[in-house]
Structures are given as structure tokens and as C-alpha cells.
């Protein structure tokens, strides 16, 4: 299983970005969850959002609910994180991860991780 995350960039406050996570190695028999985590300098890794492959149920951290949207394109085996109304507190390295726990934001529940993509929100 491999995850390749991308899309991070420098963006001004109030702006938008879309992160992508290309997933490979799972089969259609696998029910798995893809999550987005982020880690800012000096802070612990925190879960942002996740989506289940079985029913496309989505979950969001309180800090991003209403601003971020997670989605998947099964034809492209890609999960997206659309981030709107970004603010400096959203600055962090963002990682996608895949595991088998539905709706979990607990990092040890995830077996596979992308390499991370940097998001900086600054004027």
C-alpha cells in the first residue's frame, strides 16, 4: 500500500487549497478509512478529517468543520481535502493516512502514511 499526498502551498488568509492523496495497493474487497492529519511545529499531530471507503461517511475535527471537505474519486483512487477560508492556524504539514478504523483520529490506528505536504497560510 502506498499513499502519495500533494497540493500544499503558500496561501493568503481567507484563501483555499485542495490537497490530494493518491492511494494504491488496496483492493475493492478492502474496507478502509483515509484520514488527513496535520502537524504544526512544536505541536502534536492532530486528525483533521477522514472518509470511509465502505459508505463514504465523513468525519471532521471541530476546528475545520464547515471549512474543509473530504471527498474521494474511486476511478482515480484519490482522496481530496478541499480547504476553504484558511487562516494562519491551519499552517502545518498535512499527511494522509490509511487504516481500518472507521472515523478514527488516533494516529496509531493508521498503518500507512503519505510523506506529507506543507501548507502555509500567511500574508
Amino acid at each position: 500500500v502506498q499513499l502519495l499526498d500533494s497540493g500544499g502551498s503558500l496561501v493568503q488568509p481567507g484563501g483555499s487549497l485542495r490537497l490530494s492523496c493518491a492511494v494504491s495497493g488496496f483492493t475493492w474487497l478492502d474496507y478502509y478509512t483515509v484520514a488527513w492529519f496535520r502537524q504544526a511545529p512544536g505541536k502534536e499531530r492532530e486528525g483533521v478529517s477522514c472518509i470511509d471507503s465502505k459508505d463514504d461517511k465523513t468525519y471532521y475535527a471541530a476546528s475545520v468543520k464547515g471549512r474543509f471537505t473530504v471527498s474521494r474519486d474511486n476511478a482515480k483512487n484519490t482522496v481530496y481535502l478541499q480547504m476553504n477560508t484558511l487562516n494562519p492556524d491551519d499552517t502545518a504539514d498535512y499527511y494522509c493516512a490509511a487504516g481500518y478504523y472507521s472515523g478514527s483520529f488516533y494516529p496509531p490506528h493508521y498503518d500507512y502514511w503519505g510523506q506529507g505536504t506543507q501548507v502555509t497560510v500567511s500574508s
Side-chain angles (χ1 to χ4, degrees):
V1 175
Q2 290 187 324
L3 285 75
L4 181 62
D5 41 30
S6 62
S9 181
L10 170 65
V11 62
Q12 291 188 339
S16 299
L17 275 178
R18 189 178 77 161
L19 305 183
S20 300
C21 177
V23 181
S24 61
F26 283 103
T27 71
W28 68 274
L29 293 173
D30 294 329
Y31 290 138
Y32 59 95
T33 295
V34 174
W36 287 96
F37 289 83
R38 66 185 181 186
Q39 188 165 19
K43 294 187 177 181
E44 292 187 354
R45 189 167 295 191
E46 65 167 338
V48 173
S49 182
C50 57
I51 183 167
D52 292 342
S53 68
K54 182 177 181 181
D55 53 11
D56 281 350
K57 190 171 183 180
T58 58
Y59 305 83
Y60 297 94
S63 59
V64 306
K65 198 167 187 177
R67 300 189 298 124
F68 290 11
T69 302
V70 64
S71 62
R72 65 190 304 128
D73 183 332
N74 290 331
K76 295 181 179 180
N77 292 325
T78 300
V79 173
Y80 302 99
L81 183 67
Q82 178 66 43
M83 306 186 294
N84 298 328
T85 319
L86 287 161
N87 62 65
D89 289 340
D90 296 315
T91 296
D93 291 326
Y94 283 71
Y95 301 86
C96 64
Y100 297 98
Y101 288 84
S102 176
S104 173
F105 286 151
Y106 186 49
H109 282 170
Y110 289 85
D111 301 307
Y112 309 101
W113 291 81
Q115 80 287 355
T117 186
Q118 189 174 56
V119 173
T120 302
V121 184
S122 175
S123 55

